[in-house]
Amino acid sequence: CGWGTLMRRLKERGVLDQGFSEQIGEAMMASCCALMNEFGAVLGQTHSDELTVLVPPTKGARAHGGSMQKWISTAASVATNVFNRRIAAVAAERNMVLDKVIVAHFDCRVGVFETAAEAQALILWRASDCAVNAPSDAIKWSDAAMKVREFNTIEKLAYLQSHELLPLRRHHGYGSLFAE
């Protein structure tokens, strides 16, 4: 929630450098792995501020008594906690203490799919979403004029290439996929 505002505040205060942050990517990957561990997920994908985990039905029925409400609140709190602890550590490495308003707040949704193929399609859609969002994100944190943000994905990639801002870093450009 409020991802762009959080990133802007972290960059303005010098906790993060301008542009894509490897520390943010690492915090998101750690959050994804923590969710996988918490719920016994077999697959996890993350990019930008998105986390998706696939939990097989046999494990899902046992996690937190099978209560969807507990799943939702626990997932949001696990992701928020792991991410914020990682960012606090980044600030501490720079001898900084984060302002109380500089914290991430993750939301959560739960989907139930009839088949493994349907669930895997969600992961494929997230990967496709990353391919669209990554150039937009790179444009947002560059010195590009506001009108460049209105370009389509191909135009954004051409702009990034012409300004020697490609290739994007691995997690930024492709996201990260984890399997158990």
Side-chain angles (χ1 to χ4, degrees):
C1 303
W3 188 254
T5 300
L6 174 65
M7 293 301 108
R8 182 178 40 77
R9 287 177 176 167
L10 289 167
K11 291 169 191 273
E12 285 174 351
R13 287 165 176 83
V15 176
L16 300 175
D17 296 329
Q18 292 300 317
F20 175 74
S21 167
E22 289 291 340
Q23 295 99 332
I24 294 296
E26 290 168 7
M28 291 301 296
M29 288 185 271
S31 297
C32 187
C33 290
L35 285 173
M36 290 179 71
N37 288 334
E38 180 71 30
F39 293 102
V42 295
L43 199 64
Q45 193 273 346
T46 180
H47 72 275
S48 185
D49 63 337
E50 303 293 340
L51 296 166
T52 303
V53 297
L54 299 184
V55 180
T58 55
K59 291 193 178 202
R62 292 189 301 263
H64 303 286
S67 167
M68 285 293 172
Q69 292 303 318
K70 282 189 178 183
W71 273 54
I72 291 169
S73 63
T74 300
S77 67
V78 167
T80 297
N81 180 41
V82 171
F83 184 88
N84 285 331
R85 289 178 68 178
R86 287 291 184 116
I87 298 310
V90 170
E93 288 173 8
R94 294 186 175 202
N95 295 317
M96 303 174 81
V97 176
L98 294 175
D99 297 343
K100 291 180 182 180
V101 296
I102 302 182
V103 292
H105 303 279
F106 284 85
D107 59 353
C108 179
R109 291 165 194 79
V110 173
V112 177
F113 300 92
E114 293 295 320
T115 67
E118 288 176 359
Q120 290 169 345
L122 174 63
I123 296 294
L124 293 174
W125 173 77
R126 281 292 188 198
S128 174
D129 187 47
C130 179
V132 172
N133 289 341
S136 295
D137 189 53
I139 294 289
K140 180 178 181 177
W141 297 112
S142 73
D143 290 330
M146 284 299 284
K147 68 179 181 176
V148 176
R149 291 187 189 187
E150 297 173 12
F151 288 1
N152 67 38
T153 301
I154 299 299
E155 293 168 327
K156 288 176 182 175
L157 288 167
Y159 175 90
L160 293 167
Q161 180 67 35
S162 70
H163 288 80
E164 299 181 1
L165 298 172
L166 292 180
L168 299 176
R169 294 188 184 154
R170 189 195 58 77
H171 178 74
H172 189 199
Y174 306 102
S176 295
L177 183 68
F178 302 96
E180 283 292 317

